[in-house]
Amino acid sequence: GLHTTEAIASQRIADCICAVGAYGNGGDCKQCPLNSTTTGVKSAGASACECEAGLYMSSSFGRCIPCPSGSTTSGSGKTNVAACLCQRGDYMPLGSAGCVECPEGMKCPSGSNEANAEFSTAVSPSEDQKFLELAPRYWASVDHPMTVFLCKMEEWCPGGPPGTCSRNRNPQSVGCAKCLPGMYPGSNGGCHHCVGGEAPVLIVVFILVSVAAMGLIAFVVNRNILLQQTATTTCIIIVGLTVAGIQTMGVFSNLSVRWVEPLKGIFNALALVTLDLKILKVDCVVGSDDMWSFVLRQMIAPGCAVIIAVMILLKKLLRDPSTQYSVETCNTIGTIFQILFVSIVTSALTPFICYKNPGNSGYSMVTSPSVICFVDNKHESMVLVGIFTSILVVFPFLSLVGHATLRHTNFINDDARADEHLRKFRFLFFRYHPSCYCFGLLTLTRGLLLCLVPAVAREAPSVQVVAMGCVLLIFLLVQFYLKPWRSVPANMADGIIAGLMLLMLLCAAMSTNFGDADVVIGILGAVLFVLMLALVLGLVGYGIQWRFGKRPFYHNFICHHKADAAAQARFLQIMLIQRTRRTVFIDSDNLTNLDELFDIIRCRVGRVIVYLTSETLKRPWCAGEITVTFCTHKRLTAIRTPSFSAPTSDLLQPDKVAQYLAVGTNLAEYGITTGAISAALQWITSKEVAMIALWDVEVGRSRFRRIVDELEMTMPQQSLRPSKTMMSVPSMRASKVKKGVLLLSSLAGHDEATAAAGILAQKIWAGVSEFVAAGICMLVDMQEHLEGRALRMAVVRSHGVVVMLSSGSLQSKEQLQVISYAMGLETLTVIPVTMPCFRFPTDDFYIKELPALFEKDEADLVGGRVHRLFKRIAVSFATQSSNSVLNAQAAEVLGRIPRSASGTVNALTKDLDDVDDDDACVSRSVTGGESPKQGHLDDPGRQVEGGSEEDFRDVDDDDDVGASGSVTGGEGAQEGQVEEPARQVEGSGEDTEFAELDENDDYLPFNLDTSMGERILDGGATQTSGGRAWPLECS
């Protein structure tokens, strides 16, 4: 009840008093209102009733009302709502009906109330005066204590009441971002007093050092490349990679992630490399105005360009007038811009790199936290300056680099501008392998993407980390694949630096609380997983397609030893392709990847042709190819050359075959055992394998023709696809040399030289036929070797001479005579072509070898002419190289052949009146006028030096090199003009051997893939510009 007594066992009613929770006089007690009670007994009035904890007495309603949601009172008896206090971690907003969670960046002690803003800076506020406090690394102004900003560094903002900053930092600057006047920011986040003229001196020293560095760079990058050692180049590249890596670390500092010591201190110390001038104490000179600091930062790149331009101009005016001003200026400025590209782009994008503040406080610039992005007028001005810098510096530089890269191949092919182009853009191309000339543009693209990440994904730190990691990883894979740098250490350094950057990003991710970014991280993880799964499935599908899909199939595979038979195998490939219209693969085209080579034999070859020379079976790759052929039961045909000698069966035993093979590739690494090699080599030397031998009765290219004939007979008929317009070739023998042909001389009896000459003739025939009507004649195709006067007349009457020089050429009397006769004619074009096996003559050649071949006088004459020949630049014909290389070298030979007649026929005589009617060298009719002018013939038979002329006058009518011509006098006729029958103006037509080719003309077809100037007919045949296939012009 409502009553009680003060004493125990009281017997009188007068002793009754009101109990706790009731009030009244004596026996008339009333219950306190709901949720209220009294503090004791014997309460006389209703005012003694107090509300319980968590409630307060409303004067309006006269009863206890619960405190707003989330709040409570510190005890009972509270009479107004102000006594309701929020719990720790919550606060009471203005006009709110309950407590809410403490905002980001603030701490809310028990009783925090936004209505107590006037007491925000009170030292010891009472219980009902408490206001929210700021957490460390957050700042709010006194005027707007609920607008919280995130400080860039925790050292700047210790937290506590609004307006609190660290020592020496300006509490009026947003985020405590500025130092007090007369102070400058240090690298550790503190502020230091400006001392005297220290700052101006430091700035001047920096400028002088920078100018000196630019001068050194200008000197180094414009030095003659030939004087620069590879080690020096490598050191320069690694230094440049290090600087670029440091600038990338500067980009990392702009990410919205938490960097811990010592990384944070390292980033601050490297501020100068990223063009942040605050480390030079510029605040002591221009004050702490963010706009001025930003403008000075943008002026660095254009200022460097101006200084370099002035330096090189002074060099040209005062020191070296031969300086190519535009070339050196472009190269030097390009080098510096490429080194500082990341910093230049980051500087221009600075106004767009912002981080988010708590709540609705907007964004602050990362480099200038006191500037509110997209709100302050100062930020708008900085955006305009950044855009101007991009238009003035970044975009033009990227456009120039892109244009130079896209036009690089065209500039290289332009002989007139190639040197200037390479020197002007040396900064872009020289450090990379020629095949990777575009990597400079890729490097700049990587830098641009890294700089854009913090500007584009400013609200999602997790996205920033993943995006930057993807950029680094993708370009790291590209770098590992291309290996673009000119040295191995440079490639290693580039890969290691990129890998370390990825690890640094991982450290940042582990130390950062991404807050409510779980959803974003989950999405990114799912996307990466899907990409990984798609990549795996794609690679599996590619493998299946590679195994079962349609791939190039080769009907013939030629296995040979490149050093002994590179030209022979290539020439055989050309003839087989033309004859059968089927594909032929040569193993030397892919000796870098034996796995792929062996797989071609396993899966994509119909027949293997082994060209056996002295070293073929000793070569590991050849032995491997033969073994794979043997194990996979492929068809095999062997071609035996005179140099091949079959090894004894004892040498091919499993325990000895390893010693038989030359030192080189270990075939065991490819799953090929010595037992399999032994069985395969014994098989190929047995009678089980079809063997074709080179015919000693044939000469020149006919030897290879016979091989093709026999190979064709062993092919299945369904493998042949002859062209309807292709003519048969009964023989490649020749008996006579036509007048006006292009002679091609090679060492007789040397199959490699014959094949090389055949390849060259095949590749230049289409182009030669456009201006040499008589075509090409290979002297090795003659049934009988020309000697003496016949050989001399063949040379004299030719359009020009191409000399194929091989090992043994300088020991061949016939080739030396061809050289001597040709070099004796001043107007005749002689083109030396060297094979890889050729060695230029030494003194012993002139002193010992020539006298052994010729009489003394003739030896002296031949030696002098050989010496004159090698003063000319020879064309290298690399028979061991790919078709594209051979095409380029053949094109060089074609370019040296004169487009008009050499005029050598005019040099045959000094005076046509002295020539007898019986001479077969020239038949003519002379009408009117004086005798022709004296010609020039520097030849053993007719020397300018005084040699005999009679050797040219006793050639019989039956000579194979007979010619006819006509000389016309009178007006309109040039004096001494001798017309060749093939180009007669007024000829008699007697020389029928120069008429149209008859049906017995020999033909050698083209290589459909490589012949220059050819056209492919609809029916699959090959046609030259003259409308015929390649005829043999030695008829």
Side-chain angles (χ1 to χ4, degrees):
L2 300 178
H3 299 84
T4 187
T5 59
E6 293 181 318
I8 300 176
S10 179
Q11 299 297 319
R12 295 183 306 154
I13 192 169
D15 293 334
C16 292
I17 59 176
C18 294
V20 175
Y23 67 92
N25 296 319
D28 188 15
C29 293
K30 296 181 180 179
Q31 181 72 42
C32 285
L34 183 65
N35 295 327
S36 65
T37 187
T38 58
T39 56
V41 296
K42 202 177 180 179
S43 298
S47 59
C49 294
E50 297 179 350
C51 294
E52 299 174 355
L55 297 97
Y56 69 94
M57 180 63 69
S58 172
S59 58
S60 302
F61 298 98
R63 56 185 177 84
C64 293
I65 297 176
C67 286
S69 175
S71 64
T72 186
T73 59
S74 57
S76 59
K78 303 303 180 182
T79 58
N80 57 64
V81 71
C84 294
L85 305 176
C86 293
Q87 300 177 5
R88 184 178 184 86
D90 294 335
Y91 83 103
M92 181 71 69
L94 287 175
S96 175
C99 297
V100 297
E101 185 180 359
C102 195
E104 180 186 355
M106 304 193 82
K107 296 189 298 185
C108 297
S110 177
S112 297
N113 195 319
E114 186 180 354
N116 297 332
E118 57 181 307
F119 308 109
S120 61
T121 57
V123 177
S124 300
S126 61
E127 185 180 79
D128 57 354
Q129 293 180 339
K130 289 192 176 177
F131 188 72
L132 297 75
E133 297 179 357
L134 291 165
R137 204 188 172 186
Y138 291 90
W139 175 91
S141 67
V142 176
D143 297 333
H144 303 280
M146 295 301 295
T147 304
V148 181
F149 295 90
L150 176 66
C151 300
K152 183 179 179 181
M153 299 179 67
E154 189 172 338
E155 292 82 356
W156 295 357
C157 306
T164 303
C165 291
S166 297
R167 186 169 176 267
N168 296 330
R169 288 214 160 260
N170 190 346
Q172 302 302 319
S173 61
V174 176
C176 304
K178 296 182 179 181
C179 293
L180 292 172
M183 308 187 80
Y184 67 91
S187 59
N188 59 354
C191 293
H192 308 280
H193 291 280
C194 298
V195 179
E198 182 181 8
V201 172
L202 190 61
I203 294 174
V204 171
V205 170
F206 169 74
I207 294 175
L208 293 177
V209 171
S210 300
V211 172
M214 285 186 280
L216 178 62
I217 292 174
F219 170 74
V220 171
V221 301
N222 291 305
R223 284 187 67 197
N224 190 336
I225 296 177
L226 297 177
L227 302 179
Q228 191 162 290
Q229 299 181 4
T230 302
T232 303
T233 303
T234 300
C235 292
I236 294 174
I237 291 174
I238 293 176
V239 170
L241 289 172
T242 304
V243 174
I246 293 173
Q247 293 178 78
T248 304
M249 292 172 63
V251 177
F252 286 176
S253 65
N254 292 329
L255 298 177
S256 301
V257 296
R258 180 174 177 266
W259 297 100
V260 297
E261 295 292 351
L263 285 177
K264 183 164 62 174
I266 292 174
F267 289 155
N268 293 332
L270 297 176
L272 187 59
V273 180
T274 59
L275 306 185
D276 189 350
L277 300 179
K278 290 185 178 180
I279 198 171
L280 297 177
K281 306 178 182 179
V282 293
D283 286 6
C284 295
V285 178
V286 299
S288 58
D289 188 285
D290 296 306
M291 184 64 188
W292 272 109
S293 298
F294 179 71
V295 171
L296 288 175
R297 189 174 178 181
Q298 306 311 304
M299 292 174 61
I300 293 178
C304 289
V306 172
I307 292 173
I308 290 169
V310 172
M311 290 172 60
I312 297 178
L313 179 61
L314 293 176
K315 173 187 174 183
K316 180 177 179 64
L317 296 177
L318 304 178
R319 181 181 175 185
D320 186 4
S322 64
T323 299
Q324 292 182 287
Y325 180 75
S326 62
V327 171
E328 293 195 9
T329 301
C330 179
N331 182 41
T332 308
I333 295 176
T335 300
I336 293 179
F337 277 22
Q338 190 176 38
I339 293 173
L340 300 177
F341 181 74
V342 172
S343 295
I344 293 173
V345 175
T346 302
S347 176
L349 292 177
T350 293
F352 302 95
I353 303 176
C354 306
Y355 64 87
K356 193 176 186 312
N357 290 307
N360 297 320
S361 300
Y363 296 84
S364 294
M365 282 180 58
V366 171
T367 55
S368 301
S370 61
V371 177
I372 308 302
C373 298
F374 312 110
V375 175
D376 286 357
N377 293 333
K378 185 180 294 185
H379 181 261
E380 295 178 359
S381 301
M382 296 171 76
V383 167
L384 294 176
V385 174
I387 294 174
F388 180 76
T389 302
S390 300
I391 296 174
L392 182 66
V393 179
V394 178
F395 293 155
F397 180 64
L398 283 176
S399 300
L400 179 66
V401 169
H403 173 76
T405 302
L406 293 176
R407 298 283 297 170
H408 178 70
T409 303
N410 294 335
F411 284 133
I412 292 299
N413 294 332
D414 184 357
D415 295 335
R417 301 185 61 186
D419 180 66
E420 179 184 354
H421 171 74
L422 287 177
R423 292 188 60 203
K424 184 177 292 186
F425 297 100
R426 175 176 165 183
F427 71 92
L428 191 59
F429 304 121
F430 174 68
R431 296 178 298 166
Y432 311 108
H433 286 297
S435 59
C436 301
Y437 66 89
C438 61
F439 197 76
L441 179 60
L442 293 179
T443 302
L444 296 179
T445 303
R446 179 186 66 176
L448 179 62
L449 292 177
L450 291 175
C451 295
L452 287 173
V453 167
V456 174
R458 56 177 175 265
E459 295 188 22
S462 56
V463 176
Q464 290 180 353
V465 172
V466 173
M468 193 158 287
C470 288
V471 172
L472 289 174
L473 181 60
I474 290 172
F475 281 91
L476 175 62
L477 295 176
V478 172
Q479 187 268 330
F480 273 135
Y481 176 75
L482 295 178
K483 294 181 177 59
W485 304 99
R486 286 182 178 265
S487 65
V488 174
N491 284 303
M492 292 179 61
D494 193 6
I496 291 172
I497 290 174
L500 293 176
M501 299 247 178
L502 285 171
L503 292 178
M504 290 174 60
L505 274 178
L506 182 61
C507 293
M510 290 189 297
S511 63
T512 300
N513 179 14
F514 292 109
D516 57 352
D518 291 345
V519 176
V520 176
I521 295 175
I523 293 174
L524 289 175
V527 170
L528 292 177
F529 175 77
V530 171
L531 290 176
M532 181 187 70
L533 188 62
L535 178 62
V536 171
L537 294 176
L539 292 176
V540 171
Y542 177 77
I544 294 174
Q545 190 276 336
W546 178 260
R547 174 63 183 86
F548 299 103
K550 185 177 180 181
R551 289 185 290 166
F553 181 83
Y554 303 100
H555 294 80
N556 292 284
F557 180 103
I558 301 178
C559 167
H560 71 291
H561 180 211
K562 188 159 65 170
D564 290 341
Q568 298 171 65
R570 181 73 66 185
F571 192 45
L572 191 61
Q573 178 198 36
I574 292 172
M575 298 181 71
L576 276 173
I577 291 175
Q578 184 61 38
R579 177 69 67 83
T580 65
R581 293 295 195 270
R582 290 297 186 180
T583 54
V584 181
F585 185 87
I586 298 183
D587 59 359
S588 60
D589 286 339
N590 186 11
L591 287 180
T592 59
N593 190 338
L594 289 184
D595 276 323
E596 184 175 348
L597 199 64
F598 295 154
D599 190 63
I600 289 175
I601 296 176
R602 279 190 291 263
C603 307
R604 296 188 282 152
V605 165
R607 174 175 65 172
V608 175
I609 300 172
V610 181
Y611 202 86
L612 294 173
T613 54
S614 60
E615 297 292 319
T616 302
L617 297 186
K618 296 180 180 179
R619 297 298 103 187
W621 61 85
C622 293
E625 294 164 5
I626 295 170
T627 304
V628 174
T629 304
F630 173 72
C631 294
T632 55
H633 306 289
K634 295 286 185 180
R635 294 172 54 236
L636 185 144
T637 303
I639 300 173
R640 181 170 185 158
T641 65
S643 66
F644 174 73
S645 177
T648 63
S649 60
D650 183 59
L651 288 175
L652 299 182
Q653 294 305 310
D655 58 338
K656 295 182 179 180
V657 71
Q659 288 76 30
Y660 175 73
L661 296 178
V663 177
T665 304
N666 185 359
L667 294 177
E669 298 175 351
Y670 299 90
I672 301 177
T673 63
T674 55
I677 297 173
S678 173
L681 295 188
Q682 292 185 57
W683 169 66
I684 195 174
T685 55
S686 69
K687 295 182 179 180
E688 298 179 22
V689 174
M691 188 75 68
I692 299 175
L694 283 176
W695 287 33
D696 292 334
V697 297
E698 296 289 349
V699 297
R701 293 173 295 177
S702 293
R703 291 166 62 83
F704 297 96
R705 167 58 192 274
R706 292 299 179 186
I707 295 175
V708 174
D709 288 343
E710 297 197 33
L711 289 173
E712 187 177 9
M713 286 189 295
T714 61
M715 284 185 182
Q717 289 301 313
Q718 58 270 25
S719 296
L720 303 178
R721 292 196 310 179
S723 168
K724 293 185 295 184
T725 61
M726 181 174 160
M727 298 183 181
S728 63
V729 187
S731 174
M732 287 189 177
R733 292 186 176 184
S735 59
K736 293 181 291 183
V737 179
K738 291 184 178 181
K739 186 177 180 181
V741 299
L742 177 70
L743 284 184
L744 207 167
S745 170
S746 60
L747 180 60
H750 192 290
D751 290 327
E752 187 71 359
T754 300
I759 295 171
L760 178 62
Q762 184 270 340
K763 290 184 177 296
I764 66 173
W765 165 253
V768 168
S769 64
E770 295 180 359
F771 51 87
V772 180
I776 301 174
C777 176
M778 289 179 55
L779 292 178
V780 293
D781 290 337
M782 303 298 296
Q783 290 178 344
E784 297 181 0
H785 294 304
L786 297 180
E787 297 179 353
R789 291 188 300 274
L791 180 61
R792 183 182 302 116
M793 290 303 297
V795 173
V796 168
R797 292 153 57 82
S798 67
H799 184 89
V801 178
V802 177
V803 183
M804 180 67 69
L805 297 167
S806 59
S807 61
S809 288
L810 298 183
Q811 287 73 44
S812 168
K813 186 173 182 179
E814 178 186 330
Q815 273 211 285
L816 291 173
Q817 286 178 330
V818 171
I819 294 172
S820 177
Y821 297 156
M823 293 302 295
L825 298 171
E826 293 182 353
T827 57
L828 185 67
T829 298
V830 184
I831 305 171
V833 180
T834 60
M835 293 175 58
C837 56
F838 176 73
R839 297 294 178 267
F840 286 91
T842 62
D843 291 341
D844 286 345
F845 167 77
Y846 297 100
I847 297 172
K848 298 179 181 179
E849 298 181 17
L850 274 179
L853 296 173
F854 301 96
E855 297 294 334
K856 184 180 185 308
D857 291 342
E858 189 174 4
D860 292 342
L861 183 63
V862 172
R865 291 174 176 175
V866 170
H867 183 69
R868 280 170 41 208
L869 174 69
F870 290 119
K871 287 185 177 180
R872 303 181 180 184
I873 298 177
V875 178
S876 174
F877 199 63
T879 53
Q880 300 175 0
S881 300
S882 64
N883 251 333
S884 59
V885 174
L886 294 175
N887 285 339
Q889 293 170 340
E892 185 176 354
V893 174
L894 181 63
R896 295 194 185 187
I897 300 173
R899 267 44 181 175
S900 58
S902 60
T904 56
V905 177
N906 295 341
L908 285 175
T909 61
K910 282 187 178 181
D911 190 348
L912 288 178
D913 292 336
D914 295 335
V915 180
D916 297 333
D917 291 339
D918 293 336
D919 278 338
C921 294
V922 181
S923 65
R924 77 269 180 228
S925 61
V926 181
T927 59
E930 300 178 357
S931 60
K933 291 183 179 179
Q934 177 176 321
H936 294 83
L937 180 63
D938 184 11
D939 189 88
R942 184 170 179 79
Q943 306 175 41
V944 175
E945 293 93 331
S948 171
E949 302 175 8
E950 298 300 324
D951 290 337
F952 284 106
R953 297 182 177 170
D954 55 3
V955 181
D956 298 333
D957 291 338
D958 295 331
D959 282 341
D960 291 337
V961 293
S964 64
S966 63
V967 179
T968 58
E971 298 181 17
Q974 293 184 1
E975 188 174 357
Q977 180 83 14
V978 181
E979 298 293 342
E980 294 184 355
R983 301 187 181 115
Q984 265 184 312
V985 178
E986 296 183 19
S988 61
E990 297 174 3
D991 198 350
T992 57
E993 66 181 89
F994 299 106
E996 287 295 324
L997 296 173
D998 57 27
E999 61 182 4
N1000 293 323
D1001 281 336
D1002 294 333
Y1003 288 81
L1004 177 64
F1006 295 94
N1007 173 358
L1008 291 176
D1009 296 327
T1010 59
S1011 181
M1012 293 177 296
E1014 63 187 15
R1015 293 196 294 269
I1016 308 299
L1017 299 178
D1018 294 339
T1022 305
Q1023 185 180 18
T1024 68
S1025 56
R1028 296 176 296 176
W1030 179 17
L1032 181 69
E1033 294 304 341
C1034 311
S1035 59

